[in-house]
Amino acid sequence: MNKRALREFGSGKDIGMSLLWYWIGYVAVTWVGIGHTVFNILVLGMKSMAEGPGLGQGYEMTKPWHPLYNIILFTVFGLLYLRKVNNLTLKKAMATGALWAGISIVIDLVGWVLVPHPWSLTFRQFYIEYQPWITLVYLAMFAAPMISCFFISLKNRGQAGKFAAADA
């Protein structure tokens, strides 16, 4: 981001708050996904990583839900962040979505592909076999702040209408 784009996006405080809400959203989405996987294994009796190929049936069956978790949770956290942004515009919401999706792409590459751990995936598993879900996840992260902006603008229009009616 250059200086002009940074000024248009908002103050450093805006970006700091955006990143705070992003991290809360990212952690929440991750825990929901883990919880869903554990539910599938323990309650529905699906195979775990130890019992099946890849990350196991319990995880594989959660993949179509990942974009839904992301669109819902990042819209909620987008609302919590954007309602405090001065002079909110669609452009600021788009910048927030681009920031959130961009950071996620980098973090996912490092955290799920490059750093070895029991749940790490190969590049092929994450970026090819996880299609179309991973692309939809990133699109959801990008779109969520714009959806939040839409809800905020609807709320603000409703309040403006109430005030106008009260003044008449």
Side-chain angles (χ1 to χ4, degrees):
M1 241 183 213
N2 63 30
K3 287 182 183 179
R4 182 171 180 258
L6 189 59
R7 278 193 303 274
E8 288 177 6
F9 182 65
S11 68
K13 181 181 175 187
D14 284 347
I15 293 174
M17 289 305 295
S18 172
L19 292 175
L20 174 66
W21 286 114
Y22 162 78
W23 280 111
I24 293 169
Y26 190 90
V27 169
V29 163
T30 301
W31 280 105
V32 167
I34 290 169
H36 190 177
T37 300
V38 169
F39 176 84
N40 284 352
I41 294 166
L42 296 180
V43 176
L44 301 181
M46 294 181 186
K47 292 182 180 181
S48 70
M49 228 172 110
E51 302 167 312
L55 293 178
Q57 180 189 21
Y59 169 75
E60 292 296 322
M61 297 306 289
T62 68
K63 285 181 178 180
W65 295 92
H66 295 180
L68 183 63
Y69 307 154
N70 280 273
I71 198 73
I72 291 170
L73 290 172
F74 277 100
T75 297
V76 168
F77 293 113
L79 281 166
L80 293 170
Y81 163 62
L82 292 170
R83 69 191 171 118
K84 300 288 186 177
V85 170
N86 292 327
N87 304 316
L88 178 61
T89 63
L90 182 59
K91 191 173 183 178
K92 286 182 182 181
M94 289 175 71
T96 299
L99 178 67
W100 289 3
I103 290 170
S104 293
I105 291 167
V106 173
I107 289 169
D108 288 350
L109 173 64
V110 173
W112 294 108
V113 178
L114 299 179
V115 175
H117 56 80
W119 296 337
S120 62
L121 301 166
T122 65
F123 189 87
R124 177 177 179 72
Q125 287 171 314
F126 197 77
Y127 293 103
I128 297 171
E129 294 173 12
Y130 189 17
Q131 292 297 339
W133 313 118
I134 191 62
T135 299
L136 293 172
V137 163
Y138 294 141
L139 287 172
M141 286 180 182
F142 175 70
M146 289 176 274
I147 295 167
S148 301
C149 182
F150 173 74
F151 286 132
I152 291 167
S153 70
L154 283 178
K155 181 182 177 235
N156 290 342
R157 280 190 205 141
Q159 287 178 346
K162 288 177 189 176
F163 292 127
D167 291 340

